[in-house]
Amino acid sequence: MTIRSFFDSTSRPLGGRWRPFFLASLVLAGCAGSAPGSRSFDLQAHRGGRGLAPENTLAAFSQAAALGVDTLELDIGLSADGAVVVSHDTRLNPDHTRDAQGQWLPAQGAPIRSLTVAQLQAYDVGRLNPATAYGRQFATQQPRDGERIPTLAQLFARMQAQGATRVRFNIETKIDPTRPDETAAPEPMVRALLAEIERAGVGPRVTVQSFDWRTLALVGRLAPQLPRAYLTSARTLRDSRWTAGLAAADFASTPRLVKAAAAGGPGPVIWSPAFADLTPEALREAHALGLAVLPWTVNQRADMARLLDWGVDGLITDYPDVLRSVMAERGLPLPAGVPAR
Ligand code: G3P
Ligand code: CA
């Protein structure tokens, strides 16, 4: 069984409390060595596909589901009134945020956690600020004026209303352990996230990902059946505050570090490295350890093609249209799109 067919086989709503999915051994055996060529490949739209539509907005997620992706990648924080909101940034971001008068924020704004949902949704995040370097980075992004920072509940409801009932959610808790005052602490954020997932009945379609591995330890304890994705970058691997106290130097390799961090839980375990840090050797080792490997954020055709050749289990990209075309060139099956209603 591949990791994707595991996901598919559990995509029915469970209702009420989650039930354990399958034996870890079955899942992990399935992850090992999965290769492109089957529908096991996981095409993920990063922030909903910010190369095409404003990041982390309902417009982007809806467009990605219509285009046809397996998974919507997104980031979350907690608002002042305790709602799970979809935002990459811990503060309002002047690169794509305008106030109620239509003025770009001149600098970083208030922390997300200091504002209620109503206050957050007074801002328009449907267009890039052309005066900033970040704003000039995504020339093909089509603005959608009027888009707001959505709540996670609104995203789940939108996908349900669209009929995108098979699309998966790869949800990243945005917590920086080196700046604990900037966000909610791991436990309140994880508990709020799990409650939202349960309310929407989407548990079988969710992966929780984080650079802050304390989050993933909590998920392993509170919802052990959920897939967990261990994000890594050169920066986070240098500082054990990100890796829940484990020192990377004590391990022979990053896959071994991830394997040790994830020990114990029955849910699938994914390693999500920055794509430029991945080598074929590390990929082979991760697969041998039973880890699925999903690199981020891969936007160039040549990189997509190379990583597909290596046999990664999926790719996270800002350009799901480009990845679909690379997959099509290779005769790989593509996820079906679900048009917005
Ligand atoms: O899925 C991982 C990727 O999203 C991490 O990067 O900064 O875009 O959240 P970032
Ligand atoms: Ca992310």
Side-chain angles (χ1 to χ4, degrees):
M1 175 183 276
T2 63
I3 192 167
R4 178 65 199 178
S5 59
F6 163 77
F7 290 152
D8 285 346
S9 69
T10 59
S11 62
R12 299 173 299 281
L14 293 180
R17 302 299 303 175
W18 297 319
R19 284 177 255 144
F21 291 171
F22 282 98
L23 293 174
S25 56
L26 184 64
V27 174
L28 297 179
C31 294
S34 68
S38 68
R39 199 66 292 269
S40 63
F41 186 79
D42 189 0
L43 193 176
Q44 300 210 0
H46 183 240
R47 307 190 200 177
R50 74 179 153 167
L52 306 177
E55 67 182 65
N56 281 324
T57 62
L58 294 181
F61 296 123
S62 185
Q63 184 170 327
L67 175 71
V69 301
D70 296 295
T71 302
L72 303 171
E73 193 276 344
L74 60 132
D75 311 285
I76 60 154
L78 275 193
S79 68
D81 44 352
V84 182
V85 294
V86 182
S87 170
H88 176 267
D89 307 297
T90 54
R91 291 171 171 268
L92 291 172
N93 184 342
D95 292 328
H96 56 87
T97 307
R98 284 167 290 162
D99 65 18
Q101 286 69 49
Q103 299 302 309
W104 294 109
L105 299 192
Q108 273 204 328
I112 299 292
R113 70 176 300 200
S114 72
L115 301 174
T116 64
V117 170
Q119 289 170 321
L120 286 169
Q121 293 191 342
Y123 293 90
D124 188 325
V125 291
R127 177 180 287 269
L128 287 165
N129 183 344
T132 70
Y134 182 87
R136 287 189 291 273
Q137 217 180 307
F138 299 99
T140 53
Q141 185 187 106
Q142 294 301 305
R144 298 289 291 267
D145 293 329
E147 285 298 309
R148 309 290 158 175
I149 293 174
T151 64
L152 185 61
Q154 287 171 326
L155 169 59
F156 290 152
R158 171 66 72 95
M159 288 303 107
Q160 185 68 29
Q162 187 163 329
T165 52
R166 291 176 66 83
V167 78
R168 294 186 52 79
F169 305 95
N170 186 13
I171 303 175
E172 181 181 349
T173 59
K174 275 300 180 197
I175 301 175
D176 183 339
T178 69
R179 291 185 297 160
D181 295 338
E182 193 81 354
T183 63
E187 183 146 356
M189 195 181 294
V190 166
R191 286 190 182 278
L193 170 61
L194 295 179
E196 212 59 80
I197 292 167
E198 177 147 13
R199 255 193 297 278
V202 294
R205 291 192 281 136
V206 166
T207 296
V208 180
Q209 54 168 342
S210 197
F211 288 104
D212 182 344
W213 293 4
R214 296 172 304 169
T215 294
L216 302 174
L218 278 163
V219 171
R221 184 157 62 78
L222 299 171
Q225 72 282 16
L226 282 185
R228 289 168 289 160
Y230 287 75
L231 292 167
T232 58
S233 71
R235 182 169 72 97
T236 62
L237 288 172
R238 275 196 299 271
D239 183 338
S240 64
R241 285 177 290 182
W242 290 97
T243 49
L246 295 178
D250 291 343
F251 294 84
S253 66
T254 307
R256 286 187 185 280
L257 171 69
V258 170
K259 180 76 178 174
V269 178
I270 298 143
W271 173 37
S272 269
F275 84 90
D277 298 339
L278 185 64
T279 63
E281 295 71 34
L283 177 64
R284 271 196 297 277
E285 183 181 19
H287 280 165
L289 291 167
L291 308 174
V293 180
L294 276 155
W296 56 275
T297 298
V298 187
N299 288 343
Q300 302 298 324
R301 295 184 80 91
D303 294 324
M304 293 173 182
R306 188 181 71 254
L307 291 161
L308 276 163
D309 287 343
W310 288 0
V312 294
D313 300 279
L315 291 175
I316 301 171
T317 179
D318 289 317
Y319 298 94
D321 54 338
V322 176
L323 181 50
R324 280 179 65 91
S325 118
V326 173
M327 291 168 68
E329 279 168 13
R330 284 151 190 265
L332 297 175
L334 298 173
V338 181
R341 289 174 176 160

